């Protein structure tokens, strides 16, 4: 897959970024370089490669106690009441926080 200047402009528009012509050219080159490297990696035979270790397996190996047992159980508990959460809000409509619009087009 080849990234074109049009693709870069489209993604920049989605991200609300204004890129100069030089930045667009550099982005196109960089993205194509990344995709080229991924294509190289996909050509490798990984059939004899073991899956990477999972975090929980690593934690269990380094922890003298069973790592799974050291995690707390998920328990339902009360959350902060809405009135208390809104108590110090600079602006509220009584049910929600009011915030200024931050995305402009």
């Amino acid at each position: 897959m080849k990234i074109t200047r049009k693709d870069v402009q489209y993604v920049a528009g989605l991200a609300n970024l204004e890129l100069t012509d030089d930045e667009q050219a550099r982005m196109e080159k960089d993205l194509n370089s990344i995709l080229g490297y991924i294509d190289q990696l996909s050509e490798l035979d990984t059939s004899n490669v073991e899956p990477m270790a999972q975090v929980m397996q690593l934690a269990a190996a380094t922890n003298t106690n069973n790592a799974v047992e050291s995690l707390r159980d998920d328990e339902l508990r009360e959350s902060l009441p809405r009135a208390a959460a809104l108590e110090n809000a600079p602006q509220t409509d009584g049910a929600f926080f009011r915030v200024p619009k931050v995305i402009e087009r």
Side-chain angles (χ1 to χ4, degrees), residues 25-86:
R26 191 179 78 229
M27 202 57 62
E28 181 181 357
K29 179 180 172 266
D30 290 349
L31 290 172
N32 279 314
S33 175
I34 292 167
L35 291 177
Y37 184 68
I38 291 171
D39 285 341
Q40 281 183 323
L41 291 175
S42 66
E43 294 172 5
L44 296 174
D45 178 19
T46 58
S47 58
N48 293 326
V49 177
E50 290 186 35
M52 294 180 64
Q54 296 298 314
V55 174
M56 290 305 295
Q57 292 169 341
L58 290 174
T62 58
N63 192 348
T64 55
N65 301 328
N66 188 345
V68 176
E69 291 177 7
S70 67
L71 298 177
R72 68 169 173 81
D73 291 331
D74 289 335
E75 296 176 1
L76 184 63
R77 58 184 181 174
E78 284 191 39
S79 62
L80 185 65
R82 181 184 305 245
L86 294 173

